[in-house]
Amino acid sequence: MGKKRMRKRYEAAFKARVALAALKDAKTLSELASEFGVHGNLISQWKRRLLSNITRVFEEREDGSQHDHQAVVEELHRQIGQLHVELDWLKKKAAQFDR
């Protein structure tokens, strides 16, 4: 068997930069592809994805507190679960001493 080819992954900032360049229409798709070293189909996909999700920029709060709030809620749920398990264990051990 031959070597297994790894799919190249691009960072979100790079994708955004390429998609914005494609939106400007200053260069052709093939010029952008050679400039950034990415296939033209990828540029088209990223451009479509940017256009379809552009409203999210204005829907979310700018201060990022919504993301922070979600992280706090997830941490609290984790702690509640841990405390519930510990309480059940303590109840079980206390029942053994009551005998």
Side-chain angles (χ1 to χ4, degrees), residues 1-6:
M1 299 234 132
K3 293 181 184 178
K4 196 170 192 179
R5 241 178 118 183
M6 295 293 293

Side-chain angles (χ1 to χ4, degrees), residues 1-98:
M1 299 234 132
K3 293 181 184 178
K4 196 170 192 179
R5 241 178 118 183
M6 295 293 293
R7 179 174 281 188
K8 190 168 183 179
R9 295 181 181 239
Y10 300 97
E11 293 184 10
F14 176 75
K15 291 177 183 181
R17 192 170 59 244
V18 173
L20 283 174
L23 279 176
K24 291 179 184 177
D25 287 333
K27 297 180 181 178
T28 65
L29 195 60
S30 59
E31 288 174 336
L32 291 172
S34 63
E35 178 181 337
F36 291 105
V38 180
H39 197 276
N41 289 343
L42 271 179
I43 296 174
S44 297
Q45 289 174 5
W46 294 344
K47 181 180 173 182
R48 266 186 264 115
R49 189 170 179 189
L50 175 66
L51 289 173
S52 66
N53 293 314
I54 202 159
T55 57
R56 285 187 185 176
V57 173
F58 299 105
E59 290 174 352
E60 295 177 359
R61 295 183 185 175
E62 289 184 26
D63 59 2
S65 64
Q66 184 177 0
H67 179 69
D68 294 339
H69 176 71
Q70 184 65 25
V72 169
V73 168
E74 289 175 5
E75 175 63 20
L76 291 173
H77 283 154
R78 186 193 64 74
Q79 288 178 4
I80 289 169
Q82 181 180 354
L83 291 172
H84 184 69
V85 169
E86 290 174 2
L87 179 62
D88 288 345
W89 183 83
L90 287 172
K91 285 179 182 178
K92 181 179 167 186
K93 290 297 180 183
Q96 290 176 355
F97 288 117
D98 287 340

